[in-house]
Amino acid sequence: DIQMTQSPSVLSASVGDRVTLNCKASQNINKYLNWYQQKLGEAPKLLIYNTNNLQTGIPSRFSGSGSGTDYTLTISSLQPEDVATYFCFQHNSWPLTFGSGTKLEIK
Amino acid sequence: EVQLVESGGGLVQPGRSLKLSCAASGFTFSNYYMAWVRQAPKKGLEWVATISTSGSRTYYPDSVKGRFTISRDNAKSSLYLQMNSLKSEDTATYYCARQGAGVDYWGQGVMVTVSS
């Protein structure tokens, strides 16, 4: 099974900061990497699919990059509504697996 | 607008069975793989099952293989999850999900509690 490791587990930043979240796969996942945002009490929402494709309706301050085993989600200017837990997810091979999440807080 | 509405959750005793349903609308259901994903209380996300467009292929992680069965009815735009031999560790919110590029749309989830 492919293990997905996210770092940091908790991130505290100020409004307007550039924020980077990391996700490392235990083997090459060929850019089949998605990012989801989950706000408290809500279902997850797709932000980025296949490493760097912005889902329809998602603000352009969100972007993704990476290849091989290492991937990042960047928020160019953190907004108060971005407080949430962010999960990465590989769909390169079965079983599909999620990272354990990064909880993003506002300082 | 894509909508996925789960039903069938509740409290069930260990070892018993439960069947979840998901009603889909806003897209051509028969064109998409569909999946179930769960989230234990205050925990992360775990993929539970996927079914192909025709239903001929299914996929499961080892944690549920042999106990859970995913199925679909394309005529009714509905997805199902039959859960047998339930364990306390199956307690979670279960999300119905469309598998586009990975998982692209999620339902609001239904809670399943396995407890005596």
Side-chain angles (χ1 to χ4, degrees), chain A residues 6 12-13 20 50 52 56 59 78 81-82 88 91 94 98 100:
Chain A
Q6 289 189 242
S12 185
T20 298
N50 296 345
N52 56 10
T56 303
L78 186 65
E81 60 266 33
D82 299 336
C88 62
H91 56 104
W94 310 100
F98 290 88
S100 57

Side-chain angles (χ1 to χ4, degrees), chain A residues 23-25 27-33 50-52 64-72:
Chain A
C23 180
K24 186 175 184 66
Q27 61 192 77
N28 182 11
I29 55 171
N30 298 303
K31 295 192 172 185
Y32 289 107
L33 187 283
N50 296 345
T51 296
N52 56 10
S65 64
S67 63
T69 61
D70 294 297
Y71 298 83
T72 59

Side-chain angles (χ1 to χ4, degrees), chain B residues 10 17 38 52 67 92 94 109 115:
Chain B
S17 299
R38 68 184 179 185
S52 64
R67 299 189 300 123
Y94 285 74
S115 174

Side-chain angles (χ1 to χ4, degrees), chain A residues 21-70:
Chain A
L21 285 65
N22 302 297
C23 180
K24 186 175 184 66
S26 59
Q27 61 192 77
N28 182 11
I29 55 171
N30 298 303
K31 295 192 172 185
Y32 289 107
L33 187 283
N34 290 6
W35 289 97
Y36 300 90
Q37 176 193 66
Q38 188 177 33
K39 296 184 178 180
L40 200 61
E42 297 184 4
K45 179 169 68 175
L46 176 64
L47 300 176
I48 301 283
Y49 63 94
N50 296 345
T51 296
N52 56 10
N53 296 280
L54 193 67
Q55 174 72 339
T56 303
I58 302 301
S60 58
R61 65 179 179 274
F62 291 92
S63 63
S65 64
S67 63
T69 61
D70 294 297

Side-chain angles (χ1 to χ4, degrees), chain A residues 34 36 38 43-44 91 94-96, chain B residues 39 47 59 95 101-103 106-107:
Chain A
N34 290 6
Y36 300 90
Q38 188 177 33
H91 56 104
W94 310 100
L96 311 181
Chain B
Q39 186 169 35
W47 165 72
Y59 307 84
Y95 295 101
V103 170
W106 304 66

